[in-house]
Amino acid sequence: MRIEPRANRSRTMDLGIPVLSAVIALAFAAIPLIAAGANPITAYGEMVKGVFGSVFALSEMLTRATPLIFTGLAAALAFRAKLWNIGAEGQLYLGAMAAVAVGAGWLDLPGLVLVPLIVILGAAAGAAGMAVPTYLKSRFGADEVVTTLLLNFIILIFLQMMLEGPLKDPMGLGWPQSAPILDQGMLPPLMDRMRVHSGLILALVLAAVAQFMLARSVWGFRLRAVGENAAAARHAGINVNRSLFGVAIISGGLAGLAGVSEVAGLKGYLTADLSPGFGYTGIVVAMLAGLSPVGVVIAALFIASVFVGADSMSRAMGVSSFLADLVVSMSLLCVLVGGFIARYRIIRSGTGRAAS
């Protein structure tokens, strides 16, 4: 047998693979549920109830999805240009540190000025975290997978130093946490007595803008050209390095906004455990979405529903909430296998017939 690229890729297949992957992942996840003595149908019913059973549950899912939309967009746009940003976790913390540095009382400004300033400087800090690996890639040929990944650990060490130093809350009784952001610097909530905040609106707007720019702008065309074939794009007159720097700034900025949304929209102060891995989960979101900004929103809602629903199922049935990690992992594996099937077909040698 031999493997050949498909001449014409089916649009239906491209759209159906993520949906089918989610269904298959849930089917595989039923196996450990049965082994644990739980009824899969009842368990999944509890998951759905835990997400859509009340306004509070739905708001919690949207709250969990907000940073995933930001980090998913960060990964999706960078991956479109074959710029492998694995550093969204560190860039998230850079954005959060910038938000605290500006909003924790150092500048006593009105909310109409302070909130936009926090958002802009948080995005700028995240962008700086991606600009350095991109410069190393374009100037010295350094592998951005390695540099962005290792930079995550450097940023976390720097964060711990800042929380024990300049950013430390003098009223925190010695705990390594930052001073709280001023009330006028917090992102406005969307519903009373709920945690969902206006960072969600910002994430949705940026996803729509990114979709439009990719599909309808010259910038999007150049980005896709660089991602498809950088040598051909350079031959056609496209400045590849400039395109890479442009998407790096946007990607890092979006990851920084994830940190801003968590610290200025939800928690109010910064700790070293602000993110449970939103930067890394954003990569899964981007892959499930097929690197589509609109798909990122859908994939983020799905993954957030799995995590929030699994917590509810765990409380109701005594089943481990780590089932959510299994579903997300299986979804990614199924998407990777499905993507391979969508791009290639297997030809039986000697027959000329496609096996799949």
Side-chain angles (χ1 to χ4, degrees):
M1 295 187 293
R2 67 181 187 275
I3 299 173
E4 292 183 352
R6 293 184 183 273
N8 296 309
R9 290 179 58 175
S10 169
R11 183 65 176 171
T12 302
M13 183 179 292
D14 288 340
L15 295 175
I17 283 174
V19 177
L20 184 61
S21 299
V23 173
I24 293 175
L26 291 173
F28 276 116
I31 298 174
L33 280 175
I34 296 173
N39 185 323
I41 297 177
T42 304
Y44 288 146
E46 289 292 338
M47 288 182 67
V48 172
K49 182 180 177 181
V51 177
F52 303 104
S54 66
V55 175
F56 174 77
L58 182 60
S59 71
E60 285 298 297
M61 184 272 288
L62 295 175
T63 302
R64 190 69 174 267
T66 299
L68 294 179
I69 296 175
F70 283 120
T71 57
L73 288 173
L77 292 179
F79 288 5
R80 281 273 190 165
K82 295 293 192 295
L83 182 65
W84 309 111
N85 181 8
I86 315 298
E89 186 77 358
Q91 294 148 25
L92 179 152
Y93 277 109
L94 286 176
M97 280 189 280
V100 168
V102 176
W106 311 112
L107 298 173
D108 190 7
L109 299 173
L112 290 177
V113 177
L114 188 57
V115 170
L117 186 62
I118 287 174
V119 169
I120 292 171
L121 292 183
M130 188 56 195
V132 173
T134 306
Y135 172 77
L136 295 176
K137 173 185 174 68
S138 60
R139 181 68 177 83
F140 303 105
D143 189 342
E144 73 275 18
V145 173
V146 176
T147 54
T148 54
L149 180 60
L150 294 182
L151 194 58
N152 287 336
F153 300 101
I154 296 174
I155 292 172
L156 285 174
I157 294 173
F158 177 71
L159 168 67
Q160 292 168 359
M161 182 186 74
M162 295 298 288
L163 291 179
E164 293 288 354
L167 296 181
K168 188 172 183 177
D169 184 4
M171 305 297 292
L173 302 178
W175 291 99
Q177 66 184 44
S178 75
I181 292 178
L182 297 175
D183 289 342
Q184 66 264 32
M186 295 292 290
L187 297 176
L190 294 181
M191 293 185 287
D192 292 336
R193 297 186 297 277
M194 303 293 177
R195 300 201 305 164
V196 61
H197 53 82
S198 54
L200 174 63
I201 302 299
L202 178 60
L204 295 176
V205 169
L206 291 177
V209 171
Q211 184 70 42
F212 175 81
M213 293 294 290
L214 275 178
R216 302 293 182 181
S217 71
V218 175
W219 176 83
F221 172 78
R222 290 174 178 169
L223 181 66
R224 297 197 308 272
V226 170
E228 291 293 333
N229 192 320
R234 186 178 289 108
H235 182 73
I238 296 176
N239 190 323
V240 173
N241 286 340
R242 182 181 298 175
S243 297
L244 289 178
F245 266 105
V247 75
I249 295 299
I250 294 173
S251 176
L254 287 167
L257 288 176
V260 172
S261 74
E262 284 299 285
V263 75
L266 188 61
K267 198 166 185 179
Y269 59 92
L270 177 59
T271 59
D273 60 350
L274 175 72
S275 168
F278 289 132
Y280 300 111
T281 308
I283 298 173
V284 181
V285 171
M287 297 303 295
L288 286 176
L291 307 185
S292 163
V294 171
V296 162
V297 175
I298 298 172
L301 292 174
F302 166 71
I303 290 181
S305 298
V306 170
F307 279 115
V308 173
D311 289 339
S312 176
M313 177 194 66
S314 177
R315 293 190 297 269
M317 303 185 65
V319 177
S320 173
S321 61
F322 286 106
L323 177 73
D325 297 309
L326 177 63
V327 173
V328 171
S329 301
M330 289 302 305
S331 297
L332 178 59
L333 289 174
C334 292
V335 164
L336 293 176
V337 173
F340 176 83
I341 295 173
R343 291 192 300 270
Y344 301 97
R345 60 176 182 169
I346 300 175
I347 304 298
R348 296 175 183 173
S349 300
T351 65
R353 293 183 298 173
S356 64

